[in-house]
Amino acid sequence: MSDAAPTDPSRLPPLDLAGLDPATTTELEAAAFRRLVKHLRDRPDVQNIDLMNLANFCRNCLSNWLKDAADARGLPLTKDQSREAVYGMPYEDWKAKHQSEATPDQQAAFAARAKH
């Protein structure tokens, strides 16, 4: 997961979508988020450490960002609930079913990335 401090999602600018109104922009952003989550659910073979090594974020980061957005609005969403929303099942179940032990190469790449 990212070491960066949480960003208040309400302070992030919307995407610039050729002058579309804010509600439509939000709908499109939400659709893209849902598609990303579905894609990650459909690809449990892609390990979180690989996502971290390649893109500096993983499913846990995504679930944390979802929780940060709820927190910023004062909405009750637990860490477990946000993870289940992203993973499509309780996190511990996903780990038992899909997560493999990180290889020495994956661990080395993660350690090297973390130093930057």
Side-chain angles (χ1 to χ4, degrees), residues 59-82:
R59 293 170 182 88
N60 288 336
C61 297
L62 201 56
S63 70
N64 289 341
W65 299 338
L66 183 59
K67 183 171 179 356
D68 290 345
D71 289 348
R73 291 178 169 250
L75 300 172
L77 184 68
T78 68
K79 183 176 180 176
D80 288 340
Q81 290 170 324
S82 66

Side-chain angles (χ1 to χ4, degrees), residues 26-103:
T26 298
E27 290 172 15
L28 295 174
E29 291 170 339
F33 172 81
R34 289 188 298 268
R35 188 168 179 179
L36 172 60
V37 168
K38 181 183 182 319
H39 180 75
L40 291 172
R41 285 181 183 178
D42 290 346
R43 292 297 311 270
D45 58 307
V46 177
Q47 297 294 297
N48 280 336
I49 194 165
D50 293 325
L51 290 169
M52 287 299 296
N53 287 339
L54 293 171
N56 202 28
F57 87 100
C58 69
R59 293 170 182 88
N60 288 336
C61 297
L62 201 56
S63 70
N64 289 341
W65 299 338
L66 183 59
K67 183 171 179 356
D68 290 345
D71 289 348
R73 291 178 169 250
L75 300 172
L77 184 68
T78 68
K79 183 176 180 176
D80 288 340
Q81 290 170 324
S82 66
R83 282 186 170 184
E84 189 165 340
V86 169
Y87 284 92
M89 64 182 72
Y91 177 59
E92 294 302 321
D93 293 350
W94 189 91
K95 280 183 15 179
K97 188 174 182 181
H98 300 293
Q99 187 166 305
S100 60
E101 192 68 33
T103 67

Side-chain angles (χ1 to χ4, degrees), residues 14-15 17 19-31 34:
L15 299 177
L17 297 176
L20 294 178
D21 65 276
T24 301
T25 297
T26 298
E27 290 172 15
L28 295 174
E29 291 170 339
R34 289 188 298 268

